[in-house]
Amino acid sequence: MVNYSEKDGLNSSYTYSMSQDDKGLIWIGSDNGLFRFDGKEFKQYNKKSGLKNIDILGCNPLSNGEIFIVTYLSDFAYLKNGKIINPDDNTELRKLKFRDTSHTYSSGDSVCIYTANNPKDIYIYRRGKVTTIPLSLHAGFPLVGRNPYIFSMDVANHLLYLTDDTQKVIAYDILTRKKILCNISLPKSAIYRKGDFLVAYRGNTIDIFKRKNKFEFIKTQSFSVVEPIHQLVIDRNDRLWVCLDKGGVLYYKNTLRDGNLSRPMKIMNDFVMNHILVDKDKNIWFSTRNNGIYFITDKFFNNYIHLPVKNNSSYITAIGKSGKNIIMGYNEAKFGILKSNTIIDVSLEKNRKIETKALFSKGNSVILGLSLRTYQYNTDNKKITTIGDYSLKNIIPYNDSSILLCTSQGLTLYNFITGAKSDLFNERAYTALRYDKDSVFVGSFKDVYKMNVKTNKRQLFIEGYYFKDIKKLKPHVYVGSTNLNGVLIFNNKKILKRITEKDGLSTDQIKKIEVENENVFWASTNSGLSRIEIKGKKLAIDNFTQTDGLPSNVVAGCVIKDDTIYAGTSKGLGILPIHNLLTQQKFINKKVVINSVTVGDKEIFDLNQEIKGQTPDNTITFDLSFPDYISQGMIKFKYKVEGLTDEWQISNSSKIMFNSIPPGKYTFKVFGLGYNGKRSYTFSSIAFEIKPKFWQTWWFKFFIIIIGCSLIFVVVTIYFQRKRNKKLETLYYEKKIAELELQAIKAQINPHFIYNCLNSIQFLLYKKDYAETENYLNIFAQMIRKTLHYSEKTFMQIKEEIEYLSLYLNMEKLRLKDQFDYTITRSKNTDENWMIPSLLIQPFVENAIKHGVSGLKDRKGNIRITFDYTDSLLCITIEDNGVGIEKRPESAKANSFGVKLSQKRIETFRQLFETDITLELNNLSEKDGKQGTQIKLYMTPYENQNTSLHH
């Protein structure tokens, strides 16, 4: 039995009545408030919860989910949506005032409340309202005598059953106020009625009546009990429980429907019972005085009460069979023989606490291996013989007359008929099995050997496994139980299969193997029994525990007899029909109860409403219960949130929390998992929604996307427009440069220039100066070629510009008969590889020749060109000693095509390459007091510049 008390959360010394609601939860009234138990934990409702009176006699669970709380005398309350409603919260409850203990009957969502002694009114509570129905028991014909006492209420027929000082039984119709005399009289008694059965008791005498109709009762039985009666209970199966005043309960196996009750069985001798509840699963709950709550499962109870085996509570450590009898070894120096449903205990040594490790039985011999000594017992003459002081580990049959004793000293062959012994193996042996005429498997602490019993030669067969038991499954196939590695199936050569927890076993620590047939065997463990069936390459594993009827999960071994398995456990012998075990439900016929849902800081109990939360209060907590009391608190929950994840998760906690759930609609689904892994037959579910803030809504996001796309579109449009304009501008300036370069070519190769050159060539030919003519033509050809070459480039090196200018000046000097001299100089700090705009200087040099020095009569002309680098600027100076710019004809000043062309090119370069080129014209007569013109060009040189802009 399981005892729930203060250590489990039942903080009360005195418990009263118990009840079970539609969800399967157990409610307990106590002297310290109301408790709810879901099989895993107790939840207490007390003064802090809102109760004004914590002496709770019991409660009435109603169909609408409310729990009407019955207190001692006054201050009634009810629990609704997780909150206690007391008379301060609902003044309707103040109508319920009693001087004596009240009684209640519930039906649907209503409760009838009244006092049994001389009642004046009946009160009906329904959905927060209290209605008063006056009773006129003495009105009209005085059928009711003094001191009326209501002992029962028939809500369906709106009848009160009462007695008075005349001992008459009267039926009173609440609605019509009619009083009808029934056919029985009851001496002053305590009366208990349930359905059609009425049980009255006074002193030690019990009378049982059955209702024939509303006003007639038939007495079916009358009997006496030895001790005074404290309480009577008729359970949901119409069985009678008699709680005794000095402790203990009388239980009657027959039901009241069966007629005469059989002789009762007395249980729970040390406890005084206030109430007994048989729940919907037929499990039994005992509410005790000062000892908490006791619980026993239906199957476990039936193993002790309804099975014919008596005296079945010893700690069994070994089990075997002999013919029709079952042999059981205990954790003390005695053993038991189950024969004809009776266990006969045999003592081997008095008051010796040495457990039986193994046993063997054949014919009239029973061999019992205790931890320090081995005995042989003769069932015919009851003689006990000591075989030896062995520290025994196992006993294995060898042949018809011999067994193998596995001991800490080794392996011994013992003939139980002659008493002869033979040592076969000199190391610690835990198990063995004969697999051939002269060959055996021997299991040591960590290995399995093959050994020849005649030669004692051995060979290592399986290494690293601690075998506890080995059995033959079928010809040349064996099954072994290991201490930590599950079950091994092997043949004479190798391991065929290993079966572990991953395959479905409840544990990998296996004690014993019992073979049912060549495809089915049973494994005994400290976690119950496992039935393994081999179906080709697949396995079918069923695990059985206390929930299936075992007295305990600590199973030392089992034997099969007919269709019944006998399991030796730490709490006695379990006798379980195999057919019943295999036909049990694979699922638990219950659902998980969702008690409440907490969204943010708000706990919601009314789960019929929509469950909604909003960011940032998007933490969801589910408070769960799985009222599978058979699992005795070993309950888990398998859950997932559809819309958040598709993976199932498992938790031991009854509170499942999800943090920071994103906005959306979700469905929480949960299964309950019992102790032996069985699952609830279906899932429980609840839908909830997390609403977004406005910035998380789809329309806001859509709006932001539209704005973002618009901005991106505008930015991209502006970018590409600027890029397009830049490209157009670049193309424009490239075209402009090309035009200017073409114009420069035209300016440099103008008809006048060419005409003069040709005249000079003609003059030289006339003079027959062929050498000079050839020289002039050569220079002219080079000039034309370089002009065409550099006109295709945007930039050229300084050294190339100097070479080009020298060529041009030499040709002009030949043409003008040495009318001028020229010098071209480059300073040391000027790099000849620097880049400058191509053909930019030549027009200014041409201007200096044409308008400066070509017309001089009084002196020889001189043109000086310098390249200098100062203050981060390249300064190009073209200076002549001609007439000066102020004495030039106006047409020469205004119509200098080369100067205009150069100015346009300077402006184009400034815009296209962001190059600042400054043109400065100086009259030397004004500046230095000498004749001539000076032109200066200031620019930033390019150290590495592509000179083919057009390609």
Side-chain angles (χ1 to χ4, degrees):
M1 300 189 71
V2 181
N3 177 224
Y4 296 109
S5 58
E6 185 175 352
K7 61 181 174 57
D8 304 293
L10 183 59
N11 302 318
S12 171
S13 61
Y14 203 103
T15 56
Y16 299 109
S17 66
M18 300 172 290
S19 55
Q20 187 177 27
D21 63 19
D22 292 338
K23 297 176 181 177
L25 304 175
I26 302 295
W27 297 85
I28 305 159
S30 78
D31 61 351
N32 192 24
L34 179 69
F35 288 86
R36 187 200 74 189
F37 184 53
D38 61 2
K40 194 174 182 69
E41 59 186 10
F42 288 89
K43 181 176 178 62
Q44 183 180 12
Y45 298 90
N46 52 22
K47 186 176 181 180
K48 291 181 179 179
S49 307
L51 290 176
K52 297 177 71 65
N53 185 345
I54 62 170
D55 210 4
I56 308 300
L57 300 179
C59 66
N60 295 80
L62 305 180
S63 61
N64 64 344
E66 294 181 359
I67 305 296
F68 186 81
I69 303 170
V70 182
T71 63
Y72 182 70
L73 297 183
S74 60
D75 292 321
F76 291 82
Y78 60 94
L79 178 66
K80 182 179 181 180
N81 294 331
K83 182 182 179 183
I84 296 289
I85 309 297
N86 60 38
D88 293 341
D89 303 315
N90 186 353
T91 56
E92 287 283 303
L93 296 176
R94 296 179 183 176
K95 298 177 182 178
L96 304 174
K97 293 289 183 180
F98 300 99
R99 294 184 178 179
D100 296 317
T101 302
S102 60
H103 295 258
T104 60
Y105 280 90
S106 59
S107 177
D109 61 354
S110 302
V111 182
C112 297
I113 312 107
Y114 63 91
T115 182
N117 294 310
N118 198 18
K120 304 297 182 184
D121 303 294
I122 285 182
Y123 301 91
I124 298 177
Y125 167 84
R126 184 175 184 272
R127 297 184 180 271
K129 298 291 183 180
V130 176
T131 305
T132 304
I133 301 177
L135 296 178
S136 302
L137 297 179
H138 300 283
F141 182 73
L143 185 63
V144 179
R146 292 180 301 171
N147 302 319
Y149 174 81
I150 299 176
F151 65 82
S152 181
M153 183 176 186
D154 185 347
V155 176
N157 295 307
H158 40 83
L159 291 176
L160 291 177
Y161 289 100
L162 54 95
T163 63
D164 58 15
D165 54 356
T166 66
Q167 302 177 359
K168 297 178 293 184
V169 175
I170 300 165
Y172 175 80
D173 193 309
I174 300 172
L175 300 182
T176 65
R177 300 186 180 182
K178 289 183 179 180
K179 291 162 277 193
I180 299 175
L181 187 65
C182 296
N183 67 325
I184 60 171
S185 295
L186 294 175
K188 188 173 183 180
S189 305
I191 306 168
Y192 187 94
R193 174 187 160 269
K194 182 178 181 293
D196 289 333
F197 294 101
L198 187 150
V199 180
Y201 63 94
R202 61 189 184 281
N204 297 347
T205 303
I206 298 175
D207 296 318
I208 301 175
F209 299 86
K210 185 176 182 181
R211 189 170 63 169
K212 185 178 180 181
N213 55 48
K214 290 188 291 185
F215 313 112
E216 291 185 83
F217 292 84
I218 300 172
K219 189 174 185 178
T220 60
Q221 190 175 358
S222 181
F223 58 90
S224 297
V225 296
V226 178
E227 302 177 45
I229 299 171
H230 170 63
Q231 181 75 271
L232 283 182
V233 175
I234 301 175
D235 65 26
R236 64 172 58 245
N237 300 316
D238 291 332
R239 282 194 171 91
L240 179 65
W241 300 76
V242 179
C243 305
L244 302 177
D245 192 55
K246 293 182 180 180
V249 178
L250 296 178
Y251 170 73
Y252 297 85
K253 293 182 181 180
N254 292 357
T255 70
L256 297 175
R257 298 186 303 273
D258 296 331
N260 291 334
L261 298 180
S262 60
R263 186 175 178 178
M265 177 177 288
K266 187 178 180 182
I267 59 175
M268 304 286 288
N269 292 338
D270 299 328
F271 305 98
V272 177
M273 301 295 165
N274 286 330
H275 190 227
I276 296 171
L277 171 71
V278 176
D279 65 22
K280 296 176 182 178
D281 298 315
K282 300 181 182 180
N283 305 311
I284 304 154
W285 302 79
F286 299 93
S287 173
T288 69
R289 182 187 299 172
N290 301 323
N291 288 283
I293 300 293
Y294 280 84
F295 167 79
I296 185 170
T297 68
D298 174 49
K299 292 179 181 178
F300 195 43
F301 183 76
N302 287 335
N303 272 350
Y304 280 94
I305 303 301
H306 289 269
L307 288 178
V309 178
K310 311 303 180 192
N311 191 30
N312 180 22
S313 60
S314 298
Y315 194 123
I316 301 173
T317 57
I319 189 170
K321 65 180 177 180
S322 176
K324 296 181 179 181
N325 301 331
I326 303 297
I327 313 296
M328 296 162 287
Y330 301 144
N331 66 337
E332 52 186 322
K334 67 177 183 179
F335 69 99
I337 302 175
L338 175 63
K339 185 176 182 180
S340 301
N341 296 327
T342 301
I343 296 177
I344 302 171
D345 288 340
V346 179
S347 178
L348 300 172
E349 291 186 44
K350 291 184 178 180
N351 303 320
R352 187 95 186 262
K353 295 292 184 181
I354 52 175
E355 66 175 302
T356 303
K357 290 290 189 178
L359 59 84
F360 167 82
S361 177
K362 187 172 183 180
N364 62 354
S365 294
V366 178
I367 313 298
L368 297 122
L370 278 62
S371 55
L372 297 176
R373 187 168 294 171
T374 302
Y375 297 92
Q376 183 170 342
Y377 175 77
N378 189 301
T379 58
D380 293 336
N381 57 25
K382 310 296 187 293
K383 183 180 178 181
I384 300 174
T385 304
T386 302
I387 297 175
D389 293 335
Y390 295 109
S391 178
L392 196 96
K393 305 300 179 184
N394 214 336
I395 299 176
I396 309 298
Y398 183 73
N399 56 32
D400 292 339
S401 60
S402 300
I403 56 175
L404 295 171
L405 300 177
C406 302
T407 72
S408 58
Q409 291 80 27
L411 185 67
T412 300
L413 181 64
Y414 173 70
N415 189 308
F416 55 84
I417 296 177
T418 65
K421 302 177 187 177
S422 175
D423 294 333
L424 304 178
F425 188 73
N426 57 5
E427 292 184 16
R428 182 187 296 262
Y430 284 89
T431 188
L433 179 69
R434 184 180 184 182
Y435 69 91
D436 206 349
K437 181 180 178 181
D438 298 318
S439 299
V440 294
F441 294 120
V442 182
S444 68
F445 184 73
K446 63 175 182 177
D447 301 315
V448 174
Y449 295 90
K450 288 180 177 181
M451 191 182 74
N452 187 292
V453 295
K454 289 187 175 181
T455 63
N456 283 351
K457 290 184 178 180
R458 61 180 179 176
Q459 174 188 356
L460 181 62
F461 176 47
I462 299 176
E463 187 177 7
Y465 290 97
Y466 171 17
F467 276 76
K468 303 280 292 213
D469 192 17
I470 302 175
K471 293 289 173 61
K472 183 178 180 180
L473 191 61
K474 55 186 176 181
H476 308 299
V477 177
Y478 311 93
V479 57
S481 63
T482 70
N483 190 43
L484 293 172
N485 293 284
V487 174
L488 265 64
I489 299 175
F490 56 94
N491 58 21
N492 293 342
K493 297 181 179 179
K494 62 179 181 179
I495 295 174
L496 301 177
K497 191 172 187 61
R498 183 182 166 202
I499 305 171
T500 65
E501 291 179 17
K502 295 180 180 179
D503 302 297
L505 289 179
S506 57
T507 178
D508 285 338
Q509 191 172 8
I510 313 298
K511 294 181 178 179
K512 291 287 184 180
I513 296 294
E514 177 69 8
V515 176
E516 182 177 338
N517 57 55
E518 65 178 20
N519 292 314
V520 178
F521 59 92
W522 296 72
S524 302
T525 74
N526 282 340
S527 301
L529 275 172
S530 294
R531 181 181 183 270
I532 299 100
E533 182 176 1
I534 302 172
K535 297 181 176 181
K537 294 184 178 180
K538 295 183 179 180
L539 295 173
I541 299 178
D542 293 301
N543 297 312
F544 304 102
T545 64
Q546 278 184 293
T547 62
D548 303 289
L550 284 174
S552 166
N553 289 334
V554 181
V555 182
C558 64
V559 294
I560 297 172
K561 180 183 172 185
D562 300 325
D563 185 43
T564 302
I565 190 160
Y566 294 79
T569 77
S570 61
K571 293 183 179 179
L573 180 66
I575 305 174
L576 306 171
I578 296 176
H579 175 75
N580 292 350
L581 287 176
L582 297 181
T583 55
Q584 288 181 152
Q585 290 184 341
K586 301 300 181 183
F587 298 95
I588 300 172
N589 192 28
K590 296 180 184 297
K591 290 178 63 176
V592 172
V593 178
I594 303 176
N595 299 309
S596 66
V597 179
T598 302
V599 183
D601 297 327
K602 182 182 178 183
E603 189 170 11
I604 302 169
F605 292 91
D606 183 9
L607 303 183
N608 293 320
Q609 62 177 290
E610 292 184 350
I611 309 299
K612 293 182 179 180
Q614 187 175 41
T615 304
D617 294 331
N618 53 353
T619 296
I620 305 291
T621 304
F622 298 91
D623 184 10
L624 309 175
S625 294
F626 186 47
D628 179 36
Y629 304 106
I630 295 175
S631 293
Q632 299 176 17
M634 297 182 184
I635 290 169
K636 298 179 181 179
F637 298 94
K638 183 178 181 180
Y639 63 92
K640 72 173 180 177
V641 175
E642 287 187 350
L644 186 65
T645 178
D646 291 329
E647 295 183 3
W648 291 92
Q649 301 182 59
I650 295 178
S651 173
N652 292 320
S653 174
S654 58
K655 287 185 170 30
I656 307 297
M657 179 182 291
F658 297 90
N659 293 312
S660 303
I661 296 181
K665 293 184 177 180
Y666 305 95
T667 300
F668 175 72
K669 293 184 176 181
V670 59
F671 287 97
L673 300 178
Y675 170 69
N676 57 0
K678 286 184 180 179
R679 196 186 71 185
S680 57
Y681 75 98
T682 187
F683 59 80
S684 299
S685 65
I686 187 168
F688 65 96
E689 181 180 4
I690 301 297
K691 288 188 168 293
K693 287 292 187 181
F694 74 90
W695 62 79
Q696 295 175 312
T697 57
W698 68 267
W699 56 265
F700 183 82
K701 292 179 180 178
F702 182 74
F703 178 71
I704 292 298
I705 290 172
I706 293 298
I707 291 178
C709 290
S710 300
L711 290 174
I712 292 172
F713 176 77
V714 171
V715 169
V716 170
T717 302
I718 292 174
Y719 170 77
F720 281 107
Q721 185 65 36
R722 287 183 175 178
K723 192 172 182 181
R724 181 173 174 272
N725 291 342
K726 187 74 173 178
K727 188 174 182 180
L728 291 174
E729 187 176 357
T730 302
L731 291 174
Y732 170 77
Y733 284 115
E734 287 180 352
K735 182 179 179 182
K736 194 78 172 178
I737 290 172
E739 292 176 352
L740 292 175
E741 288 174 346
L742 184 59
Q743 291 174 358
I745 294 171
K746 292 178 180 179
Q748 291 158 1
I749 311 176
N750 55 72
H752 179 70
F753 170 74
I754 294 172
Y755 180 76
N756 290 337
C757 290
L758 292 175
N759 277 339
S760 298
I761 293 169
Q762 185 180 10
F763 177 73
L764 292 173
L765 291 171
Y766 181 75
K767 289 176 59 178
K768 296 183 180 181
D769 190 352
Y770 299 115
E772 190 69 11
T773 301
E774 183 180 359
N775 184 35
Y776 192 93
L777 282 173
N778 185 40
I779 295 173
F780 180 75
Q782 290 184 45
M783 180 68 186
I784 294 297
R785 190 183 304 114
K786 286 187 178 293
T787 299
L788 292 175
H789 172 71
Y790 292 131
S791 66
E792 293 180 356
K793 296 182 177 293
T794 305
F795 292 89
M796 61 191 299
Q797 293 177 338
I798 290 177
K799 63 181 180 179
E800 292 175 335
E801 181 69 49
I802 292 173
E803 181 182 357
Y804 177 78
L805 291 175
S806 299
L807 187 64
Y808 172 71
L809 288 169
N810 287 334
M811 189 181 67
E812 287 290 86
K813 191 175 179 182
L814 284 174
R815 187 176 66 83
L816 296 176
K817 305 298 183 182
D818 291 327
Q819 291 184 12
F820 69 93
D821 294 321
Y822 72 91
T823 59
I824 301 176
T825 60
R826 175 177 59 83
S827 65
K828 293 181 180 180
N829 56 353
T830 302
D831 192 339
E832 66 178 1
N833 293 316
W834 284 349
M835 311 297 290
I836 59 175
S838 64
L839 305 179
L840 182 63
I841 303 172
Q842 188 272 340
F844 296 101
V845 174
E846 181 183 353
N847 240 22
I849 296 171
K850 183 177 180 180
H851 302 292
V853 300
S854 62
L856 291 178
K857 302 295 184 182
D858 57 341
R859 62 185 182 276
K860 191 175 184 177
N862 186 25
I863 296 175
R864 186 162 56 91
I865 303 172
T866 62
F867 293 84
D868 192 19
Y869 184 77
T870 57
D871 298 329
S872 301
L873 289 175
L874 176 65
C875 178
I876 302 173
T877 304
I878 302 101
E879 184 178 311
D880 64 72
N881 62 345
V883 295
I885 196 169
E886 78 283 352
K887 294 183 179 180
R888 293 179 184 178
E890 286 299 318
S891 60
K893 296 178 184 178
N895 297 320
S896 178
F897 183 81
V899 173
K900 290 181 180 179
L901 183 62
S902 296
Q903 289 176 339
K904 289 181 181 180
R905 294 188 73 220
I906 289 171
E907 181 64 26
T908 300
F909 272 103
R910 184 183 293 119
Q911 293 179 0
L912 187 61
F913 296 102
E914 298 180 354
T915 300
D916 190 12
I917 302 176
T918 303
L919 173 63
E920 182 181 308
L921 275 74
N922 296 314
N923 194 339
L924 293 179
S925 61
E926 296 176 353
K927 183 178 181 181
D928 299 326
K930 59 181 181 179
Q931 288 185 330
T933 302
Q934 184 186 66
I935 296 174
K936 288 190 174 185
L937 291 169
Y938 296 93
M939 69 184 70
T940 302
Y942 289 81
E943 295 183 3
N944 185 16
Q945 178 70 37
N946 181 14
T947 59
S948 299
L949 183 64
H950 306 295
H951 300 284

